[in-house]
Amino acid sequence: MPDVFTPEELTSLLRGKTVVYVGDSNVRGLYKDLVWLSNNCSYTPLKFLKAKLEQSFAGDRLVDGLMASRGRDYREVRHYSSPNGLLNVCFMFCTRIYSAYMRGLLDQMRQASPDLVVVNSCVWDISRWGPRGVEEYKVNLHRFLQHVQLAVRPDTMLVWLTAMPVSSEPRGGFLIKQVEFLRHTLRFDVMEANSFCAGVVREFGYDVLDVHYQFRCLIHHRNRDGIHWSPRAIRATTNMLLTHICLSWNRHPPGRGPGRLLRRAAAESCLSPDAIQDISGRPLTAGQLAAARYVRGDQAPGTR
C-alpha cells in the first residue's frame, strides 16, 4: 500500500525536477492527476480524466495534438509548469512503444534530459498493429530502452508501469471494429505482456511498478468501459509512484501509509537501518535486511 501525499509534499519531493509521462490514456490520467494534486488535495474529477486534446487543463497547455481520432496516428503532447517554476511535467501519448514518432520525442529529451520518466505502452501495441504486433512489440521494447539510454542522463530514473487489469469485455476507444475479436482474450494478453516487459526493463536496470498486481483485486474501481479507472484508483496509483520515488531517492515518505509495508519497501530499496527506523519506528533485524537486499540484488531502484 502506498503512502498519501499532499500538494506541499509532492512539490517538495519533485522540486526542481522535470517529469515526463509516456503512454496511453491511462498514463494521461496519471499525468493529469499529478498536475491536479500539485494544486489540490481532492480527487481529479472524472470529466477531466476522460477529456483529451483540451487546450488547457489545470494550468497546463496542449503543445501538439491532431484531431481526436481512434487511429494509430493519434498525437497528444502536454506540458505543465507550476507558477513558481519548481515543477515541470510533460505528457506524450504513444500508440506504439517505438516508432519514428517516438524516436523524435526521445531525441528531444537530449536537449533537456528529464529527472524522471514514467512510461507504459501495451494495449495499443498488442492490439492495433497487425498479426505481428506482439512480436514487433518485443523488439520495439528493446529498441526503446536502448534509445532511452542514449537520450537521458545516466542518473535519470525510469519507471515502467505495468498495464492495469482489463475487463473480460472491454469497450475502449482503441477497440475498433477490425479488432473486436480480441475483446475476450485481451486481458490475458495484457498479463503476458506485463510479465515479459517487467523482465526486459529490469535487465536494462530500470524500475518496474507493478500496478496490475496492486489492482487485480480492486476491479470495482474500474470504469464501465473495462479499460479506464476511477479517480480514486488513479490517485492511489499516483501515491504508489510517489512512494516509490521517495524510497528510490532515499527521501522520507509522509508517514501516513501502513508501517509494516513501508518498512519492507524501505528495506528492499536498501535504505540504512537508521532511515528505516525513522520511517517505521522499529528497526529491521540484520537477517531481514540481508534477505531483502538479496532479493533486490543489493541495488537501489533508479540506479544502474
Side-chain angles (χ1 to χ4, degrees), residues 195-231:
S195 177
F196 171 81
C197 292
V200 173
V201 172
R202 290 192 183 104
E203 287 178 4
F204 275 81
Y206 293 115
D207 295 7
V208 177
L209 189 59
D210 194 354
V211 292
H212 186 285
Y213 176 83
Q214 298 293 337
F215 283 95
R216 72 198 189 285
C217 296
L218 298 172
I219 57 175
H220 54 285
H221 286 295
R222 192 167 51 202
N223 292 345
R224 294 180 63 182
D225 63 6
I227 295 291
H228 300 96
W229 291 75
S230 71

PDB file of all heavy atoms in Angstrom, residues 195-231:
ATOM      1  N   SER A 195       4.343  -9.434 -17.886  1.00  0.00           N
ATOM      2  CA  SER A 195       5.407 -10.306 -17.395  1.00  0.00           C
ATOM      3  C   SER A 195       6.661 -10.165 -18.253  1.00  0.00           C
ATOM      4  O   SER A 195       7.780 -10.048 -17.733  1.00  0.00           O
ATOM      5  CB  SER A 195       4.927 -11.755 -17.380  1.00  0.00           C
ATOM      6  OG  SER A 195       5.955 -12.630 -16.966  1.00  0.00           O
ATOM      7  N   PHE A 196       6.480 -10.155 -19.566  1.00  0.00           N
ATOM      8  CA  PHE A 196       7.625 -10.026 -20.468  1.00  0.00           C
ATOM      9  C   PHE A 196       8.311  -8.675 -20.286  1.00  0.00           C
ATOM     10  O   PHE A 196       9.537  -8.597 -20.145  1.00  0.00           O
ATOM     11  CB  PHE A 196       7.170 -10.186 -21.923  1.00  0.00           C
ATOM     12  CG  PHE A 196       8.239  -9.855 -22.927  1.00  0.00           C
ATOM     13  CD1 PHE A 196       9.219 -10.782 -23.238  1.00  0.00           C
ATOM     14  CD2 PHE A 196       8.278  -8.606 -23.537  1.00  0.00           C
ATOM     15  CE1 PHE A 196      10.212 -10.480 -24.157  1.00  0.00           C
ATOM     16  CE2 PHE A 196       9.257  -8.294 -24.453  1.00  0.00           C
ATOM     17  CZ  PHE A 196      10.237  -9.229 -24.766  1.00  0.00           C
ATOM     18  N   CYS A 197       7.526  -7.607 -20.272  1.00  0.00           N
ATOM     19  CA  CYS A 197       8.100  -6.258 -20.180  1.00  0.00           C
ATOM     20  C   CYS A 197       8.843  -6.054 -18.871  1.00  0.00           C
ATOM     21  O   CYS A 197       9.911  -5.429 -18.846  1.00  0.00           O
ATOM     22  CB  CYS A 197       7.000  -5.213 -20.327  1.00  0.00           C
ATOM     23  SG  CYS A 197       6.262  -5.149 -21.971  1.00  0.00           S
ATOM     24  N   ALA A 198       8.281  -6.563 -17.780  1.00  0.00           N
ATOM     25  CA  ALA A 198       8.931  -6.393 -16.482  1.00  0.00           C
ATOM     26  C   ALA A 198      10.326  -7.006 -16.495  1.00  0.00           C
ATOM     27  O   ALA A 198      11.291  -6.412 -15.981  1.00  0.00           O
ATOM     28  CB  ALA A 198       8.079  -7.024 -15.385  1.00  0.00           C
ATOM     29  N   GLY A 199      10.454  -8.183 -17.100  1.00  0.00           N
ATOM     30  CA  GLY A 199      11.762  -8.824 -17.166  1.00  0.00           C
ATOM     31  C   GLY A 199      12.762  -8.043 -17.997  1.00  0.00           C
ATOM     32  O   GLY A 199      13.922  -7.868 -17.605  1.00  0.00           O
ATOM     33  N   VAL A 200      12.322  -7.543 -19.144  1.00  0.00           N
ATOM     34  CA  VAL A 200      13.220  -6.794 -20.025  1.00  0.00           C
ATOM     35  C   VAL A 200      13.646  -5.482 -19.376  1.00  0.00           C
ATOM     36  O   VAL A 200      14.829  -5.108 -19.402  1.00  0.00           O
ATOM     37  CB  VAL A 200      12.538  -6.526 -21.385  1.00  0.00           C
ATOM     38  CG1 VAL A 200      13.394  -5.596 -22.247  1.00  0.00           C
ATOM     39  CG2 VAL A 200      12.275  -7.839 -22.115  1.00  0.00           C
ATOM     40  N   VAL A 201      12.693  -4.757 -18.788  1.00  0.00           N
ATOM     41  CA  VAL A 201      13.015  -3.463 -18.170  1.00  0.00           C
ATOM     42  C   VAL A 201      14.015  -3.659 -17.039  1.00  0.00           C
ATOM     43  O   VAL A 201      14.958  -2.872 -16.879  1.00  0.00           O
ATOM     44  CB  VAL A 201      11.731  -2.782 -17.670  1.00  0.00           C
ATOM     45  CG1 VAL A 201      12.066  -1.538 -16.846  1.00  0.00           C
ATOM     46  CG2 VAL A 201      10.843  -2.406 -18.854  1.00  0.00           C
ATOM     47  N   ARG A 202      13.847  -4.694 -16.244  1.00  0.00           N
ATOM     48  CA  ARG A 202      14.788  -4.946 -15.149  1.00  0.00           C
ATOM     49  C   ARG A 202      16.171  -5.299 -15.698  1.00  0.00           C
ATOM     50  O   ARG A 202      17.187  -4.933 -15.094  1.00  0.00           O
ATOM     51  CB  ARG A 202      14.266  -6.069 -14.253  1.00  0.00           C
ATOM     52  CG  ARG A 202      13.034  -5.692 -13.432  1.00  0.00           C
ATOM     53  CD  ARG A 202      12.734  -6.727 -12.371  1.00  0.00           C
ATOM     54  NE  ARG A 202      11.516  -6.405 -11.630  1.00  0.00           N
ATOM     55  CZ  ARG A 202      10.348  -7.010 -11.812  1.00  0.00           C
ATOM     56  NH1 ARG A 202      10.229  -7.981 -12.719  1.00  0.00           N
ATOM     57  NH2 ARG A 202       9.289  -6.659 -11.102  1.00  0.00           N
ATOM     58  N   GLU A 203      16.226  -6.005 -16.813  1.00  0.00           N
ATOM     59  CA  GLU A 203      17.516  -6.323 -17.415  1.00  0.00           C
ATOM     60  C   GLU A 203      18.283  -5.061 -17.798  1.00  0.00           C
ATOM     61  O   GLU A 203      19.513  -5.030 -17.748  1.00  0.00           O
ATOM     62  CB  GLU A 203      17.313  -7.205 -18.656  1.00  0.00           C
ATOM     63  CG  GLU A 203      16.922  -8.635 -18.343  1.00  0.00           C
ATOM     64  CD  GLU A 203      16.677  -9.445 -19.600  1.00  0.00           C
ATOM     65  OE1 GLU A 203      16.895  -8.906 -20.710  1.00  0.00           O
ATOM     66  OE2 GLU A 203      16.284 -10.619 -19.485  1.00  0.00           O
ATOM     67  N   PHE A 204      17.582  -4.019 -18.161  1.00  0.00           N
ATOM     68  CA  PHE A 204      18.215  -2.756 -18.525  1.00  0.00           C
ATOM     69  C   PHE A 204      18.531  -1.903 -17.286  1.00  0.00           C
ATOM     70  O   PHE A 204      19.096  -0.819 -17.422  1.00  0.00           O
ATOM     71  CB  PHE A 204      17.309  -1.972 -19.475  1.00  0.00           C
ATOM     72  CG  PHE A 204      17.468  -2.359 -20.917  1.00  0.00           C
ATOM     73  CD1 PHE A 204      16.823  -3.484 -21.421  1.00  0.00           C
ATOM     74  CD2 PHE A 204      18.256  -1.610 -21.780  1.00  0.00           C
ATOM     75  CE1 PHE A 204      16.950  -3.848 -22.752  1.00  0.00           C
ATOM     76  CE2 PHE A 204      18.403  -1.965 -23.107  1.00  0.00           C
ATOM     77  CZ  PHE A 204      17.748  -3.090 -23.606  1.00  0.00           C
ATOM     78  N   GLY A 205      18.168  -2.382 -16.118  1.00  0.00           N
ATOM     79  CA  GLY A 205      18.497  -1.681 -14.888  1.00  0.00           C
ATOM     80  C   GLY A 205      17.514  -0.618 -14.480  1.00  0.00           C
ATOM     81  O   GLY A 205      17.830   0.222 -13.622  1.00  0.00           O
ATOM     82  N   TYR A 206      16.310  -0.641 -15.053  1.00  0.00           N
ATOM     83  CA  TYR A 206      15.298   0.350 -14.703  1.00  0.00           C
ATOM     84  C   TYR A 206      14.258  -0.264 -13.762  1.00  0.00           C
ATOM     85  O   TYR A 206      14.231  -1.472 -13.533  1.00  0.00           O
ATOM     86  CB  TYR A 206      14.630   0.890 -15.968  1.00  0.00           C
ATOM     87  CG  TYR A 206      15.557   1.704 -16.840  1.00  0.00           C
ATOM     88  CD1 TYR A 206      15.903   1.272 -18.126  1.00  0.00           C
ATOM     89  CD2 TYR A 206      16.096   2.905 -16.393  1.00  0.00           C
ATOM     90  CE1 TYR A 206      16.750   2.020 -18.927  1.00  0.00           C
ATOM     91  CE2 TYR A 206      16.940   3.658 -17.187  1.00  0.00           C
ATOM     92  CZ  TYR A 206      17.269   3.208 -18.462  1.00  0.00           C
ATOM     93  OH  TYR A 206      18.115   3.948 -19.245  1.00  0.00           O
ATOM     94  N   ASP A 207      13.386   0.592 -13.254  1.00  0.00           N
ATOM     95  CA  ASP A 207      12.409   0.180 -12.244  1.00  0.00           C
ATOM     96  C   ASP A 207      11.098  -0.272 -12.883  1.00  0.00           C
ATOM     97  O   ASP A 207      10.710   0.222 -13.944  1.00  0.00           O
ATOM     98  CB  ASP A 207      12.103   1.342 -11.296  1.00  0.00           C
ATOM     99  CG  ASP A 207      13.319   1.745 -10.470  1.00  0.00           C
ATOM    100  OD1 ASP A 207      14.406   1.215 -10.729  1.00  0.00           O
ATOM    101  OD2 ASP A 207      13.159   2.586  -9.578  1.00  0.00           O
ATOM    102  N   VAL A 208      10.414  -1.179 -12.189  1.00  0.00           N
ATOM    103  CA  VAL A 208       9.089  -1.644 -12.604  1.00  0.00           C
ATOM    104  C   VAL A 208       8.132  -1.446 -11.437  1.00  0.00           C
ATOM    105  O   VAL A 208       8.399  -1.900 -10.321  1.00  0.00           O
ATOM    106  CB  VAL A 208       9.100  -3.126 -13.019  1.00  0.00           C
ATOM    107  CG1 VAL A 208       7.687  -3.592 -13.371  1.00  0.00           C
ATOM    108  CG2 VAL A 208      10.047  -3.355 -14.192  1.00  0.00           C
ATOM    109  N   LEU A 209       7.029  -0.748 -11.691  1.00  0.00           N
ATOM    110  CA  LEU A 209       5.974  -0.585 -10.698  1.00  0.00           C
ATOM    111  C   LEU A 209       4.775  -1.406 -11.169  1.00  0.00           C
ATOM    112  O   LEU A 209       4.116  -1.064 -12.146  1.00  0.00           O
ATOM    113  CB  LEU A 209       5.596   0.890 -10.552  1.00  0.00           C
ATOM    114  CG  LEU A 209       4.648   1.243  -9.400  1.00  0.00           C
ATOM    115  CD1 LEU A 209       5.251   0.836  -8.062  1.00  0.00           C
ATOM    116  CD2 LEU A 209       4.335   2.732  -9.402  1.00  0.00           C
ATOM    117  N   ASP A 210       4.510  -2.490 -10.467  1.00  0.00           N
ATOM    118  CA  ASP A 210       3.507  -3.458 -10.921  1.00  0.00           C
ATOM    119  C   ASP A 210       2.123  -3.048 -10.434  1.00  0.00           C
ATOM    120  O   ASP A 210       1.579  -3.603  -9.467  1.00  0.00           O
ATOM    121  CB  ASP A 210       3.866  -4.852 -10.422  1.00  0.00           C
ATOM    122  CG  ASP A 210       3.068  -5.949 -11.116  1.00  0.00           C
ATOM    123  OD1 ASP A 210       2.164  -5.595 -11.902  1.00  0.00           O
ATOM    124  OD2 ASP A 210       3.350  -7.136 -10.889  1.00  0.00           O
ATOM    125  N   VAL A 211       1.522  -2.100 -11.110  1.00  0.00           N
ATOM    126  CA  VAL A 211       0.181  -1.647 -10.726  1.00  0.00           C
ATOM    127  C   VAL A 211      -0.880  -2.685 -11.089  1.00  0.00           C
ATOM    128  O   VAL A 211      -1.958  -2.720 -10.489  1.00  0.00           O
ATOM    129  CB  VAL A 211      -0.144  -0.283 -11.363  1.00  0.00           C
ATOM    130  CG1 VAL A 211       0.733   0.803 -10.775  1.00  0.00           C
ATOM    131  CG2 VAL A 211       0.014  -0.316 -12.871  1.00  0.00           C
ATOM    132  N   HIS A 212      -0.603  -3.547 -12.073  1.00  0.00           N
ATOM    133  CA  HIS A 212      -1.542  -4.623 -12.408  1.00  0.00           C
ATOM    134  C   HIS A 212      -1.750  -5.516 -11.189  1.00  0.00           C
ATOM    135  O   HIS A 212      -2.891  -5.866 -10.836  1.00  0.00           O
ATOM    136  CB  HIS A 212      -1.026  -5.437 -13.585  1.00  0.00           C
ATOM    137  CG  HIS A 212      -1.993  -6.466 -14.094  1.00  0.00           C
ATOM    138  ND1 HIS A 212      -2.234  -7.664 -13.422  1.00  0.00           N
ATOM    139  CD2 HIS A 212      -2.789  -6.485 -15.200  1.00  0.00           C
ATOM    140  CE1 HIS A 212      -3.129  -8.368 -14.106  1.00  0.00           C
ATOM    141  NE2 HIS A 212      -3.487  -7.680 -15.172  1.00  0.00           N
ATOM    142  N   TYR A 213      -0.665  -5.874 -10.530  1.00  0.00           N
ATOM    143  CA  TYR A 213      -0.761  -6.717  -9.333  1.00  0.00           C
ATOM    144  C   TYR A 213      -1.533  -6.000  -8.231  1.00  0.00           C
ATOM    145  O   TYR A 213      -2.368  -6.605  -7.540  1.00  0.00           O
ATOM    146  CB  TYR A 213       0.648  -7.068  -8.850  1.00  0.00           C
ATOM    147  CG  TYR A 213       0.678  -7.856  -7.563  1.00  0.00           C
ATOM    148  CD1 TYR A 213       0.499  -9.239  -7.562  1.00  0.00           C
ATOM    149  CD2 TYR A 213       0.871  -7.217  -6.342  1.00  0.00           C
ATOM    150  CE1 TYR A 213       0.515  -9.962  -6.385  1.00  0.00           C
ATOM    151  CE2 TYR A 213       0.889  -7.929  -5.160  1.00  0.00           C
ATOM    152  CZ  TYR A 213       0.712  -9.307  -5.180  1.00  0.00           C
ATOM    153  OH  TYR A 213       0.721 -10.006  -4.012  1.00  0.00           O
ATOM    154  N   GLN A 214      -1.270  -4.717  -8.056  1.00  0.00           N
ATOM    155  CA  GLN A 214      -1.907  -3.969  -6.976  1.00  0.00           C
ATOM    156  C   GLN A 214      -3.416  -3.859  -7.163  1.00  0.00           C
ATOM    157  O   GLN A 214      -4.161  -3.809  -6.183  1.00  0.00           O
ATOM    158  CB  GLN A 214      -1.285  -2.570  -6.874  1.00  0.00           C
ATOM    159  CG  GLN A 214       0.196  -2.561  -6.530  1.00  0.00           C
ATOM    160  CD  GLN A 214       0.478  -3.071  -5.128  1.00  0.00           C
ATOM    161  OE1 GLN A 214      -0.383  -3.043  -4.261  1.00  0.00           O
ATOM    162  NE2 GLN A 214       1.698  -3.531  -4.906  1.00  0.00           N
ATOM    163  N   PHE A 215      -3.873  -3.818  -8.424  1.00  0.00           N
ATOM    164  CA  PHE A 215      -5.297  -3.589  -8.684  1.00  0.00           C
ATOM    165  C   PHE A 215      -6.041  -4.838  -9.129  1.00  0.00           C
ATOM    166  O   PHE A 215      -7.204  -4.753  -9.516  1.00  0.00           O
ATOM    167  CB  PHE A 215      -5.464  -2.487  -9.737  1.00  0.00           C
ATOM    168  CG  PHE A 215      -5.261  -1.107  -9.196  1.00  0.00           C
ATOM    169  CD1 PHE A 215      -4.032  -0.495  -9.284  1.00  0.00           C
ATOM    170  CD2 PHE A 215      -6.293  -0.429  -8.560  1.00  0.00           C
ATOM    171  CE1 PHE A 215      -3.820   0.777  -8.778  1.00  0.00           C
ATOM    172  CE2 PHE A 215      -6.105   0.841  -8.050  1.00  0.00           C
ATOM    173  CZ  PHE A 215      -4.861   1.449  -8.148  1.00  0.00           C
ATOM    174  N   ARG A 216      -5.412  -5.987  -9.056  1.00  0.00           N
ATOM    175  CA  ARG A 216      -6.065  -7.209  -9.531  1.00  0.00           C
ATOM    176  C   ARG A 216      -7.308  -7.539  -8.706  1.00  0.00           C
ATOM    177  O   ARG A 216      -8.234  -8.208  -9.200  1.00  0.00           O
ATOM    178  CB  ARG A 216      -5.072  -8.380  -9.501  1.00  0.00           C
ATOM    179  CG  ARG A 216      -4.741  -8.865  -8.102  1.00  0.00           C
ATOM    180  CD  ARG A 216      -3.466  -9.684  -8.069  1.00  0.00           C
ATOM    181  NE  ARG A 216      -3.269 -10.328  -6.771  1.00  0.00           N
ATOM    182  CZ  ARG A 216      -2.865  -9.689  -5.673  1.00  0.00           C
ATOM    183  NH1 ARG A 216      -2.624  -8.395  -5.717  1.00  0.00           N
ATOM    184  NH2 ARG A 216      -2.691 -10.355  -4.542  1.00  0.00           N
ATOM    185  N   CYS A 217      -7.340  -7.112  -7.442  1.00  0.00           N
ATOM    186  CA  CYS A 217      -8.499  -7.372  -6.576  1.00  0.00           C
ATOM    187  C   CYS A 217      -9.316  -6.113  -6.319  1.00  0.00           C
ATOM    188  O   CYS A 217     -10.159  -6.083  -5.411  1.00  0.00           O
ATOM    189  CB  CYS A 217      -8.037  -7.966  -5.247  1.00  0.00           C
ATOM    190  SG  CYS A 217      -7.244  -9.579  -5.404  1.00  0.00           S
ATOM    191  N   LEU A 218      -9.076  -5.077  -7.104  1.00  0.00           N
ATOM    192  CA  LEU A 218      -9.784  -3.804  -6.928  1.00  0.00           C
ATOM    193  C   LEU A 218     -10.503  -3.392  -8.212  1.00  0.00           C
ATOM    194  O   LEU A 218     -10.625  -2.210  -8.515  1.00  0.00           O
ATOM    195  CB  LEU A 218      -8.790  -2.706  -6.502  1.00  0.00           C
ATOM    196  CG  LEU A 218      -8.072  -2.925  -5.175  1.00  0.00           C
ATOM    197  CD1 LEU A 218      -6.995  -1.877  -4.974  1.00  0.00           C
ATOM    198  CD2 LEU A 218      -9.071  -2.898  -4.011  1.00  0.00           C
ATOM    199  N   ILE A 219     -10.992  -4.380  -8.953  1.00  0.00           N
ATOM    200  CA  ILE A 219     -11.585  -4.075 -10.256  1.00  0.00           C
ATOM    201  C   ILE A 219     -12.912  -3.334 -10.135  1.00  0.00           C
ATOM    202  O   ILE A 219     -13.435  -2.827 -11.128  1.00  0.00           O
ATOM    203  CB  ILE A 219     -11.779  -5.356 -11.098  1.00  0.00           C
ATOM    204  CG1 ILE A 219     -12.643  -6.374 -10.345  1.00  0.00           C
ATOM    205  CG2 ILE A 219     -10.431  -5.969 -11.444  1.00  0.00           C
ATOM    206  CD1 ILE A 219     -12.971  -7.600 -11.178  1.00  0.00           C
ATOM    207  N   HIS A 220     -13.462  -3.248  -8.919  1.00  0.00           N
ATOM    208  CA  HIS A 220     -14.679  -2.463  -8.749  1.00  0.00           C
ATOM    209  C   HIS A 220     -14.395  -0.964  -8.922  1.00  0.00           C
ATOM    210  O   HIS A 220     -15.323  -0.163  -9.031  1.00  0.00           O
ATOM    211  CB  HIS A 220     -15.293  -2.725  -7.370  1.00  0.00           C
ATOM    212  CG  HIS A 220     -14.351  -2.517  -6.224  1.00  0.00           C
ATOM    213  ND1 HIS A 220     -13.347  -3.405  -5.914  1.00  0.00           N
ATOM    214  CD2 HIS A 220     -14.266  -1.510  -5.307  1.00  0.00           C
ATOM    215  CE1 HIS A 220     -12.676  -2.971  -4.859  1.00  0.00           C
ATOM    216  NE2 HIS A 220     -13.211  -1.816  -4.477  1.00  0.00           N
ATOM    217  N   HIS A 221     -13.105  -0.591  -8.965  1.00  0.00           N
ATOM    218  CA  HIS A 221     -12.741   0.802  -9.231  1.00  0.00           C
ATOM    219  C   HIS A 221     -12.522   1.064 -10.722  1.00  0.00           C
ATOM    220  O   HIS A 221     -12.140   2.174 -11.100  1.00  0.00           O
ATOM    221  CB  HIS A 221     -11.473   1.177  -8.464  1.00  0.00           C
ATOM    222  CG  HIS A 221     -11.696   1.369  -6.989  1.00  0.00           C
ATOM    223  ND1 HIS A 221     -12.480   2.377  -6.481  1.00  0.00           N
ATOM    224  CD2 HIS A 221     -11.247   0.657  -5.919  1.00  0.00           C
ATOM    225  CE1 HIS A 221     -12.497   2.301  -5.164  1.00  0.00           C
ATOM    226  NE2 HIS A 221     -11.771   1.264  -4.797  1.00  0.00           N
ATOM    227  N   ARG A 222     -12.752   0.054 -11.540  1.00  0.00           N
ATOM    228  CA  ARG A 222     -12.593   0.224 -12.986  1.00  0.00           C
ATOM    229  C   ARG A 222     -13.864   0.831 -13.566  1.00  0.00           C
ATOM    230  O   ARG A 222     -14.975   0.545 -13.123  1.00  0.00           O
ATOM    231  CB  ARG A 222     -12.298  -1.132 -13.633  1.00  0.00           C
ATOM    232  CG  ARG A 222     -11.829  -1.072 -15.060  1.00  0.00           C
ATOM    233  CD  ARG A 222     -11.272  -2.432 -15.488  1.00  0.00           C
ATOM    234  NE  ARG A 222     -12.207  -3.511 -15.189  1.00  0.00           N
ATOM    235  CZ  ARG A 222     -11.865  -4.791 -15.062  1.00  0.00           C
ATOM    236  NH1 ARG A 222     -10.604  -5.147 -15.180  1.00  0.00           N
ATOM    237  NH2 ARG A 222     -12.769  -5.710 -14.787  1.00  0.00           N
ATOM    238  N   ASN A 223     -13.705   1.681 -14.584  1.00  0.00           N
ATOM    239  CA  ASN A 223     -14.861   2.303 -15.221  1.00  0.00           C
ATOM    240  C   ASN A 223     -15.648   1.287 -16.043  1.00  0.00           C
ATOM    241  O   ASN A 223     -15.181   0.176 -16.316  1.00  0.00           O
ATOM    242  CB  ASN A 223     -14.413   3.461 -16.120  1.00  0.00           C
ATOM    243  CG  ASN A 223     -13.862   4.625 -15.318  1.00  0.00           C
ATOM    244  OD1 ASN A 223     -14.061   4.704 -14.102  1.00  0.00           O
ATOM    245  ND2 ASN A 223     -13.164   5.527 -15.980  1.00  0.00           N
ATOM    246  N   ARG A 224     -16.810   1.678 -16.481  1.00  0.00           N
ATOM    247  CA  ARG A 224     -17.705   0.750 -17.179  1.00  0.00           C
ATOM    248  C   ARG A 224     -17.151   0.306 -18.524  1.00  0.00           C
ATOM    249  O   ARG A 224     -17.550  -0.733 -19.042  1.00  0.00           O
ATOM    250  CB  ARG A 224     -19.069   1.407 -17.387  1.00  0.00           C
ATOM    251  CG  ARG A 224     -19.808   1.679 -16.067  1.00  0.00           C
ATOM    252  CD  ARG A 224     -21.149   2.339 -16.305  1.00  0.00           C
ATOM    253  NE  ARG A 224     -22.049   1.479 -17.062  1.00  0.00           N
ATOM    254  CZ  ARG A 224     -23.266   1.822 -17.450  1.00  0.00           C
ATOM    255  NH1 ARG A 224     -23.728   3.041 -17.144  1.00  0.00           N
ATOM    256  NH2 ARG A 224     -24.025   0.981 -18.125  1.00  0.00           N
ATOM    257  N   ASP A 225     -16.216   1.072 -19.107  1.00  0.00           N
ATOM    258  CA  ASP A 225     -15.658   0.659 -20.399  1.00  0.00           C
ATOM    259  C   ASP A 225     -14.664  -0.493 -20.265  1.00  0.00           C
ATOM    260  O   ASP A 225     -14.224  -1.058 -21.262  1.00  0.00           O
ATOM    261  CB  ASP A 225     -15.007   1.844 -21.111  1.00  0.00           C
ATOM    262  CG  ASP A 225     -13.817   2.418 -20.354  1.00  0.00           C
ATOM    263  OD1 ASP A 225     -13.412   1.834 -19.328  1.00  0.00           O
ATOM    264  OD2 ASP A 225     -13.282   3.454 -20.799  1.00  0.00           O
ATOM    265  N   GLY A 226     -14.312  -0.859 -19.048  1.00  0.00           N
ATOM    266  CA  GLY A 226     -13.426  -2.004 -18.835  1.00  0.00           C
ATOM    267  C   GLY A 226     -11.963  -1.720 -19.062  1.00  0.00           C
ATOM    268  O   GLY A 226     -11.126  -2.628 -18.941  1.00  0.00           O
ATOM    269  N   ILE A 227     -11.606  -0.477 -19.347  1.00  0.00           N
ATOM    270  CA  ILE A 227     -10.223  -0.110 -19.648  1.00  0.00           C
ATOM    271  C   ILE A 227      -9.708   0.948 -18.677  1.00  0.00           C
ATOM    272  O   ILE A 227      -8.613   0.827 -18.121  1.00  0.00           O
ATOM    273  CB  ILE A 227     -10.091   0.421 -21.090  1.00  0.00           C
ATOM    274  CG1 ILE A 227     -10.403  -0.700 -22.085  1.00  0.00           C
ATOM    275  CG2 ILE A 227      -8.697   0.973 -21.340  1.00  0.00           C
ATOM    276  CD1 ILE A 227      -9.370  -1.803 -22.133  1.00  0.00           C
ATOM    277  N   HIS A 228     -10.498   1.981 -18.482  1.00  0.00           N
ATOM    278  CA  HIS A 228     -10.067   3.117 -17.675  1.00  0.00           C
ATOM    279  C   HIS A 228     -10.524   2.950 -16.221  1.00  0.00           C
ATOM    280  O   HIS A 228     -11.339   2.071 -15.916  1.00  0.00           O
ATOM    281  CB  HIS A 228     -10.594   4.423 -18.272  1.00  0.00           C
ATOM    282  CG  HIS A 228     -10.119   4.659 -19.667  1.00  0.00           C
ATOM    283  ND1 HIS A 228     -10.865   4.326 -20.786  1.00  0.00           N
ATOM    284  CD2 HIS A 228      -8.960   5.171 -20.130  1.00  0.00           C
ATOM    285  CE1 HIS A 228     -10.182   4.623 -21.876  1.00  0.00           C
ATOM    286  NE2 HIS A 228      -9.023   5.135 -21.507  1.00  0.00           N
ATOM    287  N   TRP A 229      -9.989   3.825 -15.350  1.00  0.00           N
ATOM    288  CA  TRP A 229     -10.180   3.641 -13.921  1.00  0.00           C
ATOM    289  C   TRP A 229     -10.709   4.903 -13.259  1.00  0.00           C
ATOM    290  O   TRP A 229     -10.612   5.996 -13.792  1.00  0.00           O
ATOM    291  CB  TRP A 229      -8.857   3.206 -13.282  1.00  0.00           C
ATOM    292  CG  TRP A 229      -8.487   1.823 -13.714  1.00  0.00           C
ATOM    293  CD1 TRP A 229      -7.993   1.446 -14.937  1.00  0.00           C
ATOM    294  CD2 TRP A 229      -8.635   0.615 -12.970  1.00  0.00           C
ATOM    295  NE1 TRP A 229      -7.807   0.092 -14.989  1.00  0.00           N
ATOM    296  CE2 TRP A 229      -8.188  -0.445 -13.791  1.00  0.00           C
ATOM    297  CE3 TRP A 229      -9.085   0.335 -11.679  1.00  0.00           C
ATOM    298  CZ2 TRP A 229      -8.194  -1.766 -13.360  1.00  0.00           C
ATOM    299  CZ3 TRP A 229      -9.084  -0.981 -11.247  1.00  0.00           C
ATOM    300  CH2 TRP A 229      -8.645  -2.025 -12.079  1.00  0.00           C
ATOM    301  N   SER A 230     -11.269   4.726 -12.073  1.00  0.00           N
ATOM    302  CA  SER A 230     -11.911   5.813 -11.342  1.00  0.00           C
ATOM    303  C   SER A 230     -10.871   6.785 -10.802  1.00  0.00           C
ATOM    304  O   SER A 230      -9.682   6.461 -10.693  1.00  0.00           O
ATOM    305  CB  SER A 230     -12.726   5.239 -10.177  1.00  0.00           C
ATOM    306  OG  SER A 230     -11.852   4.745  -9.172  1.00  0.00           O
ATOM    307  N   PRO A 231     -11.300   7.999 -10.431  1.00  0.00           N
ATOM    308  CA  PRO A 231     -10.364   8.962  -9.827  1.00  0.00           C
ATOM    309  C   PRO A 231      -9.655   8.423  -8.591  1.00  0.00           C
ATOM    310  O   PRO A 231      -8.487   8.733  -8.356  1.00  0.00           O
ATOM    311  CB  PRO A 231     -11.277  10.145  -9.488  1.00  0.00           C
ATOM    312  CG  PRO A 231     -12.383  10.073 -10.500  1.00  0.00           C
ATOM    313  CD  PRO A 231     -12.630   8.611 -10.697  1.00  0.00           C
TER     314      PRO A 231
END
